[in-house]
Amino acid sequence: MSGVAVRGRTLREGQGQGPTVVLLHPLGAGADFWERAAASLDGLGVYSVDLPGHGGCPVPDEQYGAADVAAALATHLRGLGHQGVHVVGLSLGGLVALELAAHDPGLVSSLVVAATVPFYPEDWRERWRVRAADAARLGVTPFVEPTLQLWLTPAALAADGPEVAYVKRTLADIDPRGYALACLALAEADVASRLGTITAPTLLVDGGLDAPLFHDGAARLARSIPGARRAVIPGARHASALEFAEPFARLVRDWVRPGNDGPDEGNRS
């Protein structure tokens, strides 16, 4: 679709010819969602992306889907000379990562997909449509508290630390129309029919305390993506890469390292 674009920035320079990790954020966040995790991705080049209507990326003129974003991302990455990248996505970013791996398998060397479902059940689809309408009418402020409750643990909320500050800041800064269009993209997303075509080695990451919907989504993805494996970050909720940045980064490092054996046995599910 014309008008759909992504932007990105380098969070870590790679060493020599080492692999590049491309990071895709969840709804309402931006490339800076990954700054804490990127600090622990030693020896890897790290390129973090602003999805449409988020961060520094313009709001599209019309409704779009996750597949449109994946096509724009493929063009963007190839235009920068990237190939054989390791793609990491969480929630909305995870859906785009899956679409990218199906759309352009030659571009993706491996996947790490966290807190992602291949499609939302109808009651959740309706929630996203209602949220899109409310965001366009009322702004994003009403969704700050629900996002905090889904993303972060009670301990993090009680501490009112940098993770809480990040969520409040990023949702205050986002264009309500960009947020609304992303909600509609989530409502319409359905990558299920293409999962069997994904050839990239895929690691599915669960937050141990995430909502049941996302545990079920990981199980469905594991059944449908050839050779996919799962890992759990105990104690994490939806935004595992934000609150548990170092354990999340360790899983990514182990997965993209040449000759990797996947996550440690204790983290497998």
Side-chain angles (χ1 to χ4, degrees):
M1 174 185 291
S2 62
V4 175
V6 299
R7 291 185 180 176
R9 56 192 174 97
T10 299
L11 297 185
R12 281 188 80 112
E13 295 287 350
Q15 297 179 358
Q17 298 300 310
T20 295
V21 177
V22 175
L23 304 174
L24 307 177
H25 62 77
L27 171 69
D32 57 351
F33 174 86
W34 296 100
E35 287 180 349
R36 293 183 66 198
S40 296
L41 291 175
D42 304 321
L44 302 173
V46 181
Y47 187 76
S48 191
V49 173
D50 284 325
L51 298 176
H54 292 70
C57 192
V59 179
D61 294 330
E62 56 187 305
Q63 189 172 338
Y64 63 87
D68 300 314
V69 182
L73 178 58
T75 299
H76 177 78
L77 292 173
R78 289 192 179 278
L80 294 173
H82 288 300
Q83 57 183 345
V85 294
H86 302 270
V87 182
V88 180
L90 192 147
S91 203
L92 170 62
L95 275 164
V96 174
L98 292 168
E99 289 281 10
L100 180 66
H103 168 80
D104 196 339
L107 181 62
V108 180
S109 288
S110 74
L111 284 174
V112 178
V113 176
T116 300
V117 296
F119 60 87
Y120 284 92
E122 186 54 41
D123 60 330
W124 274 76
R125 289 178 184 268
E126 184 58 22
R127 287 191 206 181
W128 289 127
R129 296 182 191 112
V130 170
R131 182 173 289 203
D134 287 346
R137 182 170 57 92
L138 302 172
V140 180
T141 300
F143 310 117
V144 172
E145 188 60 29
T147 299
L148 286 168
Q149 294 294 328
L150 175 68
W151 281 19
L152 302 176
T153 64
L157 298 176
D160 197 23
E163 302 92 351
V164 173
Y166 174 79
V167 174
K168 291 179 177 179
R169 182 177 70 253
T170 193
L171 291 179
D173 289 345
I174 194 169
D175 185 310
R177 186 166 180 271
Y179 185 90
L181 287 172
C183 289
L184 291 176
L186 288 170
E188 301 305 319
D190 187 350
V191 72
S193 65
R194 293 179 292 287
L195 295 175
T197 70
I198 292 175
T199 57
T202 301
L203 178 66
L204 307 167
V205 180
D206 285 294
L209 300 180
D210 203 357
L213 171 72
F214 299 101
H215 293 299
D216 294 344
R220 185 183 293 269
L221 291 171
R223 291 193 298 269
S224 302
I225 299 173
R229 298 170 73 177
R230 293 179 66 183
V232 174
I233 299 179
R237 299 208 71 183
H238 196 64
S240 55
L242 182 64
E243 186 179 348
F244 293 77
E246 201 287 325
F248 190 98
R250 185 164 58 248
L251 286 173
V252 173
R253 288 197 313 267
D254 290 346
W255 192 248
V256 306
R257 184 178 298 141
N260 77 79
D261 293 321
D264 293 337
E265 188 69 37
N267 286 333
R268 294 179 191 163
S269 65

